[in-house]
Structures are given as structure tokens and as C-alpha cells.
């Protein structure tokens, strides 16, 4: 059914017969561990696109054999499950060993196109890296991860994927708000897919422990398997590789900023060496524009991982990866060059992106003031980011009025208060677009390709979660279907493009979320 070729296990040292108990694991990259069976697995949803990529059709996905395998109750032929060891900096502090605490890899699948995909069950039970947790996941967080993984893919943002969402039939106890009031919730398992789940933290833990020979092996393995185009690098292969990681990370963060996505927990163990968005926990989309907004309740006071700091934090994380690589690479200037490449790529890509978002054919230095001024106005006036840019498309020389933008305002009094300021800004904007000598149709097309009509707002996800917990899971696929075409206006789907309603401003799950699964 699936063609497994588990290179990570074959070529890197691991534990094959150690007990599955929580402990420090040294001098290996992985530990064999079996998923813990669940009582009543059944398929809630799956991604037909991801299934097709793996060579699986609808019949295969609905088979009891596949459902059991994706629930962790049985193994497919060739699957040898394992969890990996990594560390990380969490909220700026070294946290030591972390590892796959509730994620178990089924192995690496090679499809007919010779693409390699690692399959990973999230919520499949405890591993040696579970740190006193149960290794399980609840339905609400699993729905969010399943939907967001696929929504990000369709937005054109580098991301891990989701193959399936399985209900387990078991209850999982969680204290959602860390307020001493835990409750039993329905459990679920997401099967995630990515060419590699290797994180910055895989390298950090080996450097921190002084396991430098193994660190070199992991670096060489990663380049050979995941960056084969760099094998022929004429010199300093590691430096070329680090520069590529920096480049991909920069492009990923630019894509986040384009659509208003906030990861929420950008610890180094949540950073992919492939530049993929990984680990969908307390994420969110900016509703009313605010660079200081974070979706993570744990981050509420420090706002380390707020929307506006994401480019800075990504660079800080790359610096920590560079620190780890420097333990086996004498030429530190080559690593510093990689960080400089991050700066260059982020600057070039972000200006190109913002030019497109505003409908300009190319970025001009004066555009920084124009953009900065409207972002300040949007923040002061409580303006929705996604709606603003879809309405800005409709501004032209004949319609220079804030009335066109009215639906993006959350408060009528602020629309009135800032009406003159937006009028003045719109005149500047129209002068800028006219000076570019572009046809309105070209500007509209350019803007609509970069500014989504539909994003996976937290309140939309929470509505789906509420329905699923009430026994009606069909809305999962209904929302996914809309998110498959995020840039195209879909008749009859107006409810999915509406700005956050007032009832959702403070409702649990609709604004900020905790790190609790």
C-alpha cells in the first residue's frame, strides 16, 4: 500500500530495544517506540490531495487497515515506528532535551514520483521524550492542526501537511486554561506529512551535549537526504547548507507576514530546517491589525512571538542553530555570512511582497512611509487586515473614499474618527498607483493573487470544533473545501470571509489560545 524506505533509522544511530519510559536519551538520534492503541478509531477527515500524493485513493483511505494504521493500532508493512531526540530554546531559554513527546514517526514513504515523505502520528501515545505527559492530543487541537496545515498549503505557504484526522474514542484530560480546572475531552490523532521533520533542535541537543561526532553525522545525513543539490558544492558544504536554511526560513516568514499568520510559539524546536511551517499549536491570524498581537496566552505578557517580531525571532533562532553548527565548523565567518543572507533575502522578499500586496509593480523607497502610515492607521482604527486588502483592491481614481473600506472596520465610531485620515492616505495611495502607469485590471489581479479572501481565522476553526465535539464533524471538510481556494471569491461562502464577530472577541479558542493541546 505504501513504499517505506526508512533512511533516518538506517543511517543514524538509535535505540532499538530500550524500554519506553521517560528518560534522558544520549548518543542516538531516535528511539523505537510503538504507538499506544486506542479503543474506537474512526476517520473524521482526510486530505484527498495529500493522499493522492502518497498514491492513496478514497477506497484505501476508508479501509479499516488504513484507519487502524493511522490510529496507531496496527502497523503497515515496512513501518518501524520511532520518536526522535531534539532539544531547543523555549521563549529564549535553553530547555535541554525535548524530543517527540507525543509524535511518533511511522517511517519514510517514497511515492511514484520518487518524493520522500515522513509520516508522523501526533497524539499516538507516550515516548521516552514525553516529559511526564500522556502523549495524547485532544480533538480541538487536532482539528486546528489538520485544517491549518492544509489551509497554509493552499495559501502557497511552505508547510508540513496533514494526511488524516482520526477520532480515537478515548478521553484525554486537559487543563485548557491552566487554571486548575482540568476536564476530559475527546481524543484524536493527526497524521502529519513532510519531506523531513528535522528541526533546529535536533542539532542543538547534540552540540549542547558535546556529541560532536554524531552532530557531524546528522549534518552530513541531512545534506545528503534533504538537500541533495548541495552535495556537489565546490567547497564548504556546511556553509552552503546553512545559507540555504537561512534563505528558506526568510521566505517562510515573509509568507507568514503576507497573510497575517502568527505562529505563536517560535521556539527553536519548532523551526524546520526545510523552512516549513511546523507545529500548529496556539497559532492565529491577525484580525484587527496589531503588530503586537500574539495568539499564545503563555506569551501574553512578553509578546516574544507576536506578529511583528516574527522576522526578528526567526533570525534569533537561526543564530542558535549557527551556535550549534559552530561547534564542528571552524570558519565562523561562513556562518555569519549565512545570517547576512537571511537579512538580505528577507529584505528583498518582503519589499517585493508588500509591493504586490498594495498593487505596485515594484517597490520604491518612498513606499515604506506610505505602508507604515496606513499600518499605523489600521492599528489605531481597529481595522481587519484581511478585509482591508481585499477592499483596497476596489479603490481607483473614481472611488477615492474610505466608504469602500468600511466593512474592514470593527467599530463604527473609529471609522468616523479616522475618516479624514484614511481619505488623505487614499489620495496618496491613488497618486502612487497612477504614477506607476499600470492598468487597474493589472493591479487588481496582482493584489488578489497575494491577498487571500479566506483565511483560517480562529473563530471559524472554533465553530468547526464546537460542532465536531457535539457529534457533527461534517463541518471540518466544509471549511477545508473553502480553504482550498483562498484567493477566489466563492459564491455562497460569505460567512467564511466575514471579519471576526463581536461574540468571538473574548470567546475561548476564538482569539488567544494556550499551549495546552
Amino acid at each position: 500500500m505504501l513504499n517505506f524506505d526508512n533512511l533516518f533509522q538506517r543511517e543514524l544511530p538509535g535505540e532499538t530495544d530500550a524500554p519506553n519510559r521517560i528518560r534522558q536519551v544520549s548518543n542516538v538520534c531516535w528511539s523505537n517506540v510503538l504507538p499506544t492503541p486506542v479503543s474506537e478509531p474512526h476517520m473524521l477527515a482526510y486530505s484527498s490531495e495529500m493522499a493522492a500524493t502518497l498514491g492513496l485513493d478514497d477506497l484505501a483511505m476508508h479501509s479499516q487497515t488504513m484507519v487502524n494504521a493511522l490510529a496507531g493500532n496496527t502497523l503497515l508493512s515496512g513501518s518501524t515506528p520511532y520518536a526522535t531526540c531534539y532539544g531547543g530554546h523555549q521563549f529564549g531559554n535553553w530547555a535541554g532535551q525535548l524530543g517527540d513527546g507525543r509524535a511518533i514517526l511511522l517511517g519514510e514513504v517514497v511515492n511514484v514520483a520518487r518524493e520522500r515523505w515522513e509520516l508522523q502520528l501526533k497524539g499516538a501515545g507516550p515516548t521516552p521524550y514525553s516529559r511526564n505527559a500522556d502523549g495524547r492530543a485532544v480533538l480541538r487541537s487536532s482539528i486546528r492542526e489538520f485544517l491549518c496545515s492544509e489551509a497554509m498549503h493552499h495559501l502557497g505557504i511552505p508547510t508540513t501537511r496533514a494526511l488524516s484526522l482520526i477520532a480515537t474514542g478515548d478521553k484525554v484530560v486537559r487543563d485548557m486554561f491552566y487554571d486548575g480546572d482540568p476536564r476530559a475531552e475527546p481524543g484524536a490523532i493527526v497524521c502529519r506529512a513532510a519531506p523531513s521533520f528535522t528541526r533546529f533542535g535536533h542539532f542543538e541537543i547534540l552540540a549542547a551535549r558535546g556529541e560532536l561526532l554524531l552532530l557531524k553525522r546528522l549534518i552530513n545525513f541531512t545534506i545528503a537526504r534533504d538537500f541533495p543539490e548541495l552535495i556537489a558544492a565546490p567547497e564548504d558544504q556546511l556553509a552552503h547548507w546553512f545559507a540555504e536554511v537561512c534563505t528558506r526560513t526568510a521566505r517562510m516568514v515573509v509568507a507568514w507576514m503576507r497573510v497575517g499568520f502568527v505562529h505563536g510559539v517560535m521556539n527553536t524546536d519548532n523551526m524546520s530546517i526545510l523552512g516549513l511551517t511546523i507545529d500548529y499549536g496556539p497559532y492565529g491570524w491577525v484580525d484587527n491589525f496589531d503588530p503586537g498581537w500574539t495568539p499564545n496566552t503563555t506569551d501574553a505578557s512578553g509578546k516574544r512571538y507576536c506578529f511583528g517580531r516574527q522576522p526578528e525571532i526567526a533570525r534569533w533562532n537561526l543564530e542558535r542553530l549557527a551556535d550549534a553548527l559552530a561547534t564542528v565548523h571552524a570558519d565562523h565567518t561562513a556562518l555569519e555570512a549565512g545570517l547576512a543572507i537571511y537579512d538580505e533575502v528577507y529584505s528583498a522578499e518582503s519589499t517585493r511582497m508588500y509591493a504586490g500586496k498594495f498593487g505596485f509593480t515594484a517597490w520604491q523607497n518612498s513606499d515604506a512611509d506610505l505602508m507604515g502610515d496606513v499600518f499605523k492607521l489600521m492599528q489605531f482604527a481597529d481595522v481587519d487586515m484581511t478585509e482591508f486588502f481585499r477592499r483596497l483592491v476596489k479603490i481607483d481614481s473614481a472611488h477615492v473614499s474610505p466608504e469602500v473600506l468600511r466593512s474592514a472596520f470593527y467599530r463604527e465610531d473609529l471609522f468616523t474618527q479616522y475618516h479624514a485620515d484614511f481619505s488623505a492616505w487614499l489620495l496618496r495611495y491613488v497618486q502612487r498607483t497612477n504614477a506607476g502607469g499600470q492598468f487597474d485590471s493589472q493591479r487588481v489581479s496582482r493584489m488578489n493573487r497575494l491577498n487571500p479572501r479566506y483565511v483560517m481565522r480562529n473563530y471559524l476553526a472554533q465553530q468547526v470544533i464546537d460542532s465536531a465535539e457535539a457529534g457533527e464533524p461534517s463541518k471540518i471538510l466544509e471549511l477545508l473545501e473553502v480553504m482550498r481556494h483562498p484567493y477566489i471569491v466563492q459564491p455562497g461562502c460569505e460567512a467564511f470571509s466575514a471579519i471576526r464577530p463581536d461574540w468571538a472577541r473574548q470567546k475561548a479558542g476564538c482569539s488567544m489560545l494556550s499551549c495546552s493541546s
Side-chain angles (χ1 to χ4, degrees):
M1 187 176 290
L2 291 173
N3 177 32
F4 283 93
D5 179 36
N6 304 319
L7 277 178
F8 194 90
Q9 286 175 294
R10 286 208 312 272
E11 298 194 9
L12 294 170
E15 298 181 316
T16 58
D17 56 1
N20 184 16
R21 57 178 177 78
I22 299 161
R23 63 192 190 280
Q24 293 292 304
V25 178
S26 301
N27 292 302
V28 297
C29 291
W30 54 270
S31 303
N32 270 350
V33 57
L34 292 173
T36 303
V38 299
S39 62
E40 297 180 29
H42 64 277
M43 182 76 73
L44 291 177
Y46 64 91
S47 165
S48 56
E49 296 93 341
M50 191 63 237
T53 297
L54 297 174
L56 300 170
D57 57 18
D58 291 343
L59 185 63
M61 291 301 297
H62 284 291
S63 71
Q64 197 59 50
T65 297
M66 184 59 68
V67 170
N68 284 336
L70 295 175
N73 282 17
T74 60
L75 297 180
L76 296 173
S77 177
S79 173
T80 55
Y82 62 99
T84 65
C85 180
Y86 54 82
H89 283 81
Q90 299 192 325
F91 295 93
N93 300 303
W94 176 243
Q97 177 180 293
L98 299 168
D100 292 324
R102 57 175 172 154
I104 298 176
L105 288 127
L106 298 179
E108 304 168 43
V109 171
V110 178
N111 65 11
V112 293
R114 305 305 298 167
E115 297 170 334
R116 184 173 297 272
W117 290 91
E118 291 186 342
L119 301 184
Q120 185 182 77
L121 300 184
K122 185 173 182 178
T127 76
Y129 311 100
S130 294
R131 293 178 291 158
N132 298 315
D134 60 14
R136 291 302 188 187
V138 294
L139 179 61
R140 58 183 162 86
S141 67
S142 301
I143 288 175
R144 284 172 54 83
E145 173 132 17
F146 173 79
L147 285 173
C148 197
S149 300
E150 292 305 284
M152 292 283 274
H153 168 71
H154 292 295
L155 282 164
I157 297 172
T159 180
T160 58
R161 302 290 302 278
L163 173 61
S164 61
L165 173 64
I166 301 285
T168 64
D170 299 325
K171 296 292 185 179
V172 178
V173 177
R174 288 291 183 271
D175 185 352
M176 181 178 179
F177 300 107
Y178 305 129
D179 59 1
D181 186 27
R183 67 183 181 94
E185 304 182 46
I189 296 172
V190 174
C191 181
R192 309 194 291 187
S196 171
F197 281 98
T198 304
R199 307 147 185 269
F200 292 8
H202 281 98
F203 305 92
E204 286 185 284
I205 190 66
L206 300 179
R209 288 173 168 172
E211 297 172 0
L212 302 188
L213 291 178
L214 183 51
L215 175 57
K216 290 179 181 179
R217 285 185 65 179
L218 178 59
I219 292 168
N220 291 335
F221 169 82
T222 300
I223 293 172
R225 189 192 68 167
D226 301 321
F227 298 81
E229 69 278 8
L230 298 181
I231 294 175
E235 56 184 17
D236 206 343
Q237 198 175 83
L238 186 149
H240 282 282
W241 169 63
F242 180 64
E244 179 64 18
V245 174
C246 290
T247 296
R248 296 189 188 193
T249 302
R251 289 173 175 161
M252 175 189 71
V253 178
V254 169
W256 291 358
M257 304 303 287
R258 172 172 64 84
V259 300
F261 175 78
V262 191
H263 185 279
V265 60
M266 289 177 67
N267 298 326
T268 58
D269 56 296
N270 293 336
M271 297 293 292
S272 159
I273 51 94
L274 292 183
L276 304 175
T277 314
I278 192 171
D279 283 352
Y280 291 96
Y283 66 81
W285 259 270
V286 171
D287 291 315
N288 50 300
F289 184 81
D290 180 3
W293 181 71
T294 174
N296 187 349
T297 56
T298 308
D299 195 34
S301 59
K303 295 190 176 182
R304 177 181 177 84
Y305 298 141
C306 67
F307 176 54
R309 291 192 68 188
Q310 290 183 131
E312 166 197 346
I313 294 300
R315 192 189 198 281
W316 191 92
N317 290 340
L318 286 164
E319 290 169 2
R320 303 292 76 74
L321 176 58
D323 290 343
L325 301 180
T327 62
V328 294
H329 192 72
D331 186 1
H332 294 185
T333 58
L335 298 174
E336 292 171 1
L339 295 170
I341 287 173
Y342 172 85
D343 297 335
E344 294 167 7
V345 172
Y346 185 83
S347 177
E349 295 284 337
S350 62
T351 53
R352 185 179 301 115
M353 176 270 287
Y354 282 120
K357 272 187 80 69
F358 283 92
F360 309 147
T361 53
W363 182 261
Q364 298 178 5
N365 290 336
S366 59
D367 293 336
D369 289 337
L370 188 69
M371 180 181 73
D373 289 345
V374 80
F375 281 162
K376 289 177 184 177
L377 283 175
M378 289 168 66
Q379 184 175 3
F380 295 154
D382 217 20
V383 172
D384 187 88
M385 178 178 175
T386 302
E387 180 71 3
F388 173 83
F389 279 102
R390 291 296 292 206
R391 298 301 299 175
L392 187 63
V393 169
K394 300 183 179 299
I395 297 291
D396 58 32
S397 300
H399 300 90
V400 188
S401 169
E403 289 295 328
V404 178
L405 307 175
R406 194 170 200 145
S407 62
F409 284 73
Y410 280 93
R411 291 172 50 184
E412 185 67 22
D413 62 323
L414 292 178
F415 175 75
T416 301
Q417 180 180 342
Y418 286 96
H419 190 280
D421 296 289
F422 275 96
S423 293
W425 184 86
L426 285 171
L427 286 173
R428 293 167 58 198
Y429 174 72
V430 169
Q431 290 172 356
R432 168 67 178 89
T433 56
N434 288 345
Q438 57 192 325
F439 298 104
D440 280 332
S441 60
Q442 294 174 332
R443 178 179 64 87
V444 168
S445 176
R446 184 180 303 108
M447 293 177 72
N448 283 344
R449 286 197 303 270
L450 293 179
N451 295 305
R453 170 71 287 185
Y454 310 94
V455 293
M456 248 275 295
R457 298 177 186 264
N458 277 351
Y459 88 86
L460 293 174
Q462 190 60 45
Q463 289 178 313
V464 170
I465 291 166
D466 291 343
S467 294
E469 290 183 337
E472 180 48 70
S474 63
K475 292 186 180 300
I476 299 172
L477 288 179
E478 181 182 4
L479 181 54
L480 176 59
E481 182 58 32
V482 174
M483 295 301 155
R484 282 190 167 106
H485 308 284
Y487 298 98
I488 302 171
V489 174
Q490 302 173 50
C493 294
E494 291 77 14
F496 297 97
S497 63
I499 67 175
R500 183 196 59 228
D502 287 341
W503 59 261
R505 184 177 287 267
Q506 301 299 330
K507 179 179 170 61
C510 294
S511 180
M512 298 182 71
L513 301 101
S514 73
C515 287
S516 168
S517 68

